[in-house]
């Protein structure tokens, strides 16, 4: 029998043993601790021997105790991780770090039948390609997953994720963990500042990346300042239908700096959006022509420009006709953005990476890759500076606020600070790429009542292995951070795992952050041998409420209602209209009906299949050889696939999920007459 889900049996077995040892360590360490129950003494003696033999330290044992989830018990948290250039999303249980699912998003995924004939997935991939008649794009460089929010906290309903390589945003429903929509950005070919959501998910933010003409047309690099532009797009999300609505969305034209990560304001900064930028030098590269390479060309100035966008005002301007249409998207021109007072810049330490808004929304934390500090801007100070109106201007006429007037603190953390997340206790956590470490520091000011020591200062640091990019804390970018667990998303694994050849996995490291001060404990290394995951979000598992089976038999996962092609038992049939053949099939343990599909070469086949099962986990699949078709049929689901019967012969279609003892008998013959 093949296993349906991935677990890590050796690790789990080891942890089980270590758990027992932990009882000894724990009881012997506690002041006047309770004696271990007499009945387990013999067992723990054996476990002690195992720990000794395996060379496990007390810290190893406590780490095991904190991560082991016994068979049948569930994880407390679920992490949604970008799949990097795998173009997918990984769903990982925490603290066990067990992989529960890989969601096919931008990349076809055969187990789910994502992109292998299922017309829903084929249509999503097709609509997600700018020029589908030239080619369907079948991968993505996923970077930033964003869970939908209500009142600034995760609500467990939707997940959004960007594709940096093609400037696209995908929408995933957490009812069935399926991708419902992919939208290509009409005015950009690369993004980085997405996906981030506003506190009630009215807007999904997609910031651009490498400047280019917004029209998509050619322009030589000599016309960079005149023709090239940056942008930020605000996608309107319709929660009722679970889709981004392009007609209600808009973009803002920006100078041709390279916009980087963004974040939405919340509470004190609700109605505002913040984006970093780099290459305010407008370097054009061309090292082979004797020009400065991009590497140093974009790092010449001491500061770049934090973009501060008044979203509320931008929405008003967009809704009152202050836009021009570009490739079907409403765009607020740069001069309008300036004259309407919805765009401001603030100098920020050069080559910044993350911009992260604190839980109260009061602080905007920027980390500059080439500056050992994080820089913290105050929303109150930003609003006051805008009010005063005493601006400098960049060469495009965008008002620049004063650095010293808007910065409330700078905290020295170490080398290569990138991204910041927050805890419930006034702590912030920043990844340090060059130091390969996570630093913990205290937010002063508004957090004074939460901190014992209400200063802006670093209080702890823990090494990670190695070259950390993002880090993520449970609910760590919401108004209600949980703390507890932090995951370091490390780019290099080097010596952490068995050598598997020159292409190494990434390393997710689970860190316990439940203790104060400099007490942070590394608990677990999880190799990720797929893509290069960039960022992840962690949600309390009890906030997720996915379907166990589809609500009714005949469910269309795309329209969220009964499919007109739903087929019930007893209604199975094959309908011919000239060269067009339509098949209405059911699947149930352990047969397809009909079992004979007899057609002629050249027929155009439309095949509907309904899994009429109502039992949890009673999944079937259908594979049709030679036609590149594989479909997953979840209980209640109706799926349609199409193909042209170009090749005569005898084709055995069969069920691909080991659904019952007679699973191998669940097959049929597709007979194509010449
Ligand atoms: S990331 Cu995309 S390359 Cu830190 Cu989100 Cu840097
Ligand atoms: Cu159905 Cu195997």
């Amino acid at each position: 029998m093949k296993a349906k889900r991935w677990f890590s049996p050796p690790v789990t077995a080891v942890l089980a043993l270590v758990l027992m040892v932990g009882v000894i360590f724990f009881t012997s360490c506690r002041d006047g601790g309770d004696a271990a129950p007499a009945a387990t003494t013999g067992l723990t003696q054996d476990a002690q021997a195992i720990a000794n033999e395996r060379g496990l330290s007390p810290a190893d044992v406590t780490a095991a105790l904190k991560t082991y989830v016994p068979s049948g018990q569930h994880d407390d948290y679920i992490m949604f991780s970008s799949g990097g250039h795998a173009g997918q999303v990984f769903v990982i249980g925490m603290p066990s770090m067990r992989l529960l699912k890989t969601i096919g998003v931008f990349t076809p995924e055969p187990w789910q039948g994502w992109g292998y004939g299922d017309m829903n997935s084929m249509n999503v991939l097709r609509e997600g390609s700018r020029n589908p008649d030239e080619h369907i794009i079948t991968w993505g460089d996923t970077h930033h997953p964003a869970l939908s929010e209500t009142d600034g906290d995760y609500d467990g309903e939707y997940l959004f994720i960007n594709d940096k390589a093609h400037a696209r945003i995908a929408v995933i429903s957490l009812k069935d963990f399926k991708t419902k929509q992919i939208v290509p950005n009409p005015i950009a070919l690369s993004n980085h500042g997405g996906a981030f959501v506003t506190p009630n998910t009215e807007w999904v933010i997609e910031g651009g990346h490498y400047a280019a003409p917004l029209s998509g047309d050619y322009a030589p690099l000599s016309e960079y300042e005149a023709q090239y532009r940056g942008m930020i797009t605000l996608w309107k999300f319709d929660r009722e239908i679970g889709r981004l609505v392009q007609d209600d969305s808009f973009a803002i034209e920006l100078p041709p700096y390279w916009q980087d990560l963004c974040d939405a304001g919340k509470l004190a900064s609700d109605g505002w959006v913040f984006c970093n930028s780099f290459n305010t030098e407008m370097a054009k590269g061309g090292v082979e022509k004797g020009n400065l390479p991009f590497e140093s060309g974009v790092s010449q100035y001491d500061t770049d420009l934090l973009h501060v966008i008044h979203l509320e005002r931008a929405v008003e301007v967009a809704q009152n006709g202050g836009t021009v249409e570009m490739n079907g998207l409403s765009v607020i021109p740069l001069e309008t953005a300036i004259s309407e007072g919805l765009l401001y810049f603030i100098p920020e330490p050069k080559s910044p990476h993350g911009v992260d808004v604190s839980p109260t929304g009061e602080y905007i934390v920027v980390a500059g890759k080439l500056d050992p500090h994080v820089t913290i801007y105050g929303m109150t100070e930003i609003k006051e500076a805008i009010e005063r109106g005493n601006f400098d201007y960049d060469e495009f006429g965008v008002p620049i606020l004063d650095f010293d007037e808007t910065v409330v603190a700078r905290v020295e953390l170490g080398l290569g600070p990138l991204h910041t997340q927050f805890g419930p206790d006034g702590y912030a956590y920043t990844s340090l790429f060059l130091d390969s470490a996570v630093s913990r520091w205290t937010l002063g000011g508004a957090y004074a009542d939460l901190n014992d020591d209400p200063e802006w200062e670093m209080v702890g640091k823990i090494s990670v292995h190695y070259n950390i990019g993002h880090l993520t804390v449970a609910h760590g970018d919401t108004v209600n951070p949980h703390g507890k667990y932090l995951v370091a998303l490390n780019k290099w694994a080097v010596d952490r795992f068995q050598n598997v050849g020159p292409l190494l996995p990434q390393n997710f490291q689970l860190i316990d952050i439940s203790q104060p001060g400099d007490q942070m404990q590394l608990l677990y290394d999880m190799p990720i041998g797929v893509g290069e995951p960039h960022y992840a979000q962690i949600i309390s598992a009890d906030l997720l409420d996915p379907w166990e089976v589809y609500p009714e038999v005949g469910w269309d996962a795309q329209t969220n209602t009964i499919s007109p092609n739903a087929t019930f038992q007893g209604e199975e049939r094959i309908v011919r209209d000239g060269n067009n053949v339509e098949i209405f099939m059911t699947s149930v343990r352990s047969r397809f009906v009909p079992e004979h599909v007899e057609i002629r070469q050249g027929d155009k086949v439309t095949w509907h299949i309904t899994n009429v099962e109502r039992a949890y986990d009673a999944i079937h699949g259908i594979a049709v050889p030679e036609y590149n078709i594989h479909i997953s049929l979840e209980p209640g689901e109706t799926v349609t696939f199409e193909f042209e019967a170009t090749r005569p012969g005898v084709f055995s279609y069969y069920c691909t999920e080991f659904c019952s003892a007679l699973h191998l008998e669940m097959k049929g013959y597709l007979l194509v007459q010449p």
Side-chain angles (χ1 to χ4, degrees):
M1 294 254 289
K2 74 176 188 175
K4 254 193 230 117
R5 298 204 167 89
W6 294 2
F7 296 96
S8 311
V11 174
T12 316
V14 167
L15 291 181
L17 292 169
V18 170
L19 175 70
M20 302 166 195
V21 184
V23 174
I24 283 186
F25 281 101
F26 253 49
T27 49
S28 61
C29 288
R30 261 157 50 184
D31 290 344
D34 308 327
T40 63
T41 305
L43 195 59
T44 52
Q45 290 299 342
D46 288 345
Q48 176 73 68
I50 293 166
N52 290 344
E53 192 190 330
R54 297 195 64 233
L56 299 175
S57 70
D60 294 334
V61 173
T62 57
L65 284 168
K66 290 174 181 182
T67 54
Y68 177 65
V69 176
S71 177
Q73 292 188 22
H74 296 179
D75 283 296
D76 298 334
Y77 285 92
I78 299 294
M79 176 162 68
F80 290 91
S81 167
S82 94
H85 27 64
Q88 300 160 332
V89 165
F90 304 134
V91 185
I92 296 163
M94 289 177 57
S96 74
M97 304 304 275
R98 296 179 294 195
L99 177 63
L100 302 176
K101 192 170 224 177
T102 299
I103 305 174
V105 186
F106 300 105
T107 304
E109 204 293 318
W111 168 53
Q112 292 153 65
W114 185 252
Y116 291 94
D118 173 339
M119 289 311 292
N120 285 343
S121 65
M122 304 304 272
N123 287 335
V124 169
L125 291 170
R126 189 178 172 81
E127 284 167 15
S129 302
R130 270 183 204 79
N131 304 297
D133 294 331
E134 287 170 30
H135 44 239
I136 306 277
I137 297 171
T138 55
W139 77 286
D141 187 4
T142 53
H143 270 230
H144 307 118
L147 287 157
S148 59
E149 295 180 8
T150 297
D151 297 332
D153 200 359
Y154 304 148
D155 56 35
E157 291 189 2
Y158 291 95
L159 183 77
F160 308 90
I161 191 159
N162 72 313
D163 166 17
K164 169 170 143 63
H166 307 99
R168 300 185 292 170
I169 302 280
V171 181
I172 297 159
S173 166
L174 297 181
K175 272 301 183 195
D176 59 0
F177 286 52
K178 276 191 185 165
T179 304
K180 304 295 170 174
Q181 184 186 28
I182 298 174
V183 286
N185 194 299
I187 59 166
L189 292 177
S190 66
N191 70 25
H192 200 207
F196 299 93
V197 302
T198 52
N200 283 301
T201 325
E202 305 97 327
W203 302 96
V204 177
I205 299 166
E206 180 185 16
H209 206 209
Y210 303 122
L214 298 185
S215 61
D217 294 340
Y218 169 81
L221 280 162
S222 58
E223 293 173 20
Y224 187 91
E225 284 84 351
Q227 303 279 348
Y228 287 49
R229 285 294 176 267
M231 70 92 203
I232 177 173
T233 300
L234 285 308
W235 290 100
K236 182 77 185 153
F237 182 60
D238 184 333
R239 203 186 274 265
E240 282 302 302
I241 58 171
R243 298 291 186 278
L244 301 172
V245 182
Q246 185 166 326
D247 285 350
D248 299 334
S249 305
F250 67 95
I252 304 171
E253 178 189 10
L254 297 171
Y257 313 140
W258 295 348
Q259 283 76 37
D260 208 37
L261 297 196
C262 300
D263 201 2
K266 49 174 149 325
L267 298 177
S269 50
D270 196 8
W272 295 77
V273 170
F274 309 90
C275 294
N276 281 325
S277 69
F278 61 119
N279 198 18
T280 47
E281 295 84 351
M282 294 189 281
K284 294 158 198 72
V287 64
E288 70 285 359
K289 297 172 184 160
N291 300 339
L292 273 183
F294 278 121
E295 187 180 20
S296 51
V298 302
S299 313
Q300 298 169 81
Y301 299 167
D302 283 338
T303 53
D304 284 299
L305 293 168
L306 172 65
H307 294 33
V308 177
I309 294 160
H310 197 323
L311 175 60
E312 254 170 38
R313 194 164 295 165
V315 171
E316 280 168 29
V317 170
Q319 288 172 351
N320 292 313
T323 58
V324 296
E325 196 179 304
M326 242 182 216
N327 300 337
L329 182 67
S330 299
V331 180
I332 300 176
L334 181 54
E335 52 276 23
T336 308
I338 295 167
S339 65
E340 293 288 341
L342 58 88
L343 175 64
Y344 302 91
F345 290 159
I346 314 179
E348 56 184 351
K350 69 172 167 185
S351 301
H353 204 58
V355 53
D356 297 286
V357 177
S358 70
T360 60
E362 179 56 34
Y363 302 124
I364 295 100
V365 179
V366 169
K369 289 174 290 201
L370 303 177
D371 176 347
H373 302 83
V374 280
T375 302
I376 300 105
Y377 300 84
M379 195 61 220
T380 307
E381 286 73 10
I382 290 173
K383 284 179 179 167
E384 285 170 2
I386 291 173
E387 207 53 36
R388 277 195 299 277
N390 183 18
F391 307 128
D392 278 340
Y393 295 91
D394 82 335
E395 65 176 274
F396 295 89
V398 180
I400 302 177
L401 312 185
D402 185 75
F403 181 81
D404 292 322
E405 286 180 3
T406 50
V407 168
V408 294
R410 303 188 74 202
V411 184
E412 185 168 346
L413 300 178
L415 298 179
L418 296 184
H419 302 286
T420 299
Q421 293 265 298
F422 302 91
D425 36 21
Y427 286 136
Y429 300 85
T430 300
S431 53
L432 301 172
F433 179 81
L434 296 175
D435 272 357
S436 284
V438 169
S439 62
R440 170 189 261 176
W441 50 282
T442 51
L443 287 157
Y447 269 96
D449 54 335
L450 288 174
N451 291 327
D452 292 339
D453 185 6
E455 298 298 320
W456 299 93
E457 64 182 7
M458 186 167 77
V459 295
K461 208 180 225 186
I462 183 170
S463 292
V464 294
H465 314 86
Y466 300 87
N467 295 11
I468 179 174
H470 279 273
L471 75 182
T472 179
V473 168
H475 291 238
D477 67 344
T478 71
V479 298
N480 176 33
H482 290 199
K484 231 165 155 173
Y485 298 117
L486 180 151
V487 173
L489 284 73
N490 303 313
K491 307 295 182 189
W492 286 34
V494 192
D495 55 10
R496 291 296 105 172
F497 308 109
Q498 179 67 36
N499 184 357
V500 289
L503 179 62
L504 269 61
Q506 321 289 304
N507 186 14
F508 282 8
Q509 286 189 306
L510 177 67
I511 296 168
D512 175 359
I513 54 167
S514 58
Q515 302 303 309
D518 63 356
Q519 306 171 70
M520 291 181 276
Q521 188 189 0
L522 177 61
L523 299 181
Y524 194 73
D525 282 15
M526 180 196 192
I528 294 279
V530 196
E532 190 209 85
H534 283 263
Y535 179 44
Q537 297 210 307
I538 302 167
I539 184 173
S540 182
D542 58 15
L543 291 173
L544 295 169
D545 184 25
W547 287 322
E548 294 187 347
V549 299
Y550 277 108
E552 292 179 63
V553 169
W555 200 259
D556 182 321
Q558 195 63 15
T559 60
N560 250 354
T561 166
I562 302 284
S563 165
N565 301 310
T567 309
F568 302 94
Q569 282 177 300
E571 296 177 355
E572 300 91 347
R573 62 205 182 274
I574 299 176
V575 181
R576 174 175 286 280
D577 176 14
N579 265 357
N580 298 314
V581 177
E582 205 166 0
I583 297 152
F584 296 84
M585 181 173 276
T586 59
S587 68
V588 72
R589 279 160 292 170
S590 299
R591 62 180 170 276
F592 294 113
V593 181
E595 292 187 329
H596 296 167
V597 174
E598 297 177 69
I599 59 173
R600 294 191 287 265
Q601 186 177 10
D603 281 345
K604 290 195 170 62
V605 180
T606 305
W607 194 315
H608 312 288
I609 180 162
T610 299
N611 181 358
V612 298
E613 301 271 5
R614 301 310 288 150
Y616 194 19
D617 211 0
I619 301 159
H620 302 283
I622 181 167
V624 182
E626 274 310 301
Y627 287 97
N628 198 35
I629 283 163
H630 180 247
I631 306 292
S632 172
L633 298 158
E634 283 119 67
E637 190 179 15
T638 292
V639 174
T640 296
F641 58 94
E642 298 174 352
F643 63 95
E644 198 175 324
T646 48
R647 213 185 129 185
V650 175
F651 305 92
S652 288
Y653 55 90
Y654 73 98
C655 173
T656 52
E657 286 281 337
F658 209 122
C659 54
S660 74
L662 296 176
H663 149 77
L664 277 182
E665 288 76 359
M666 188 166 174
K667 69 92 65 197
Y669 278 116
L670 167 67
L671 301 147
V672 184
Q673 290 174 24

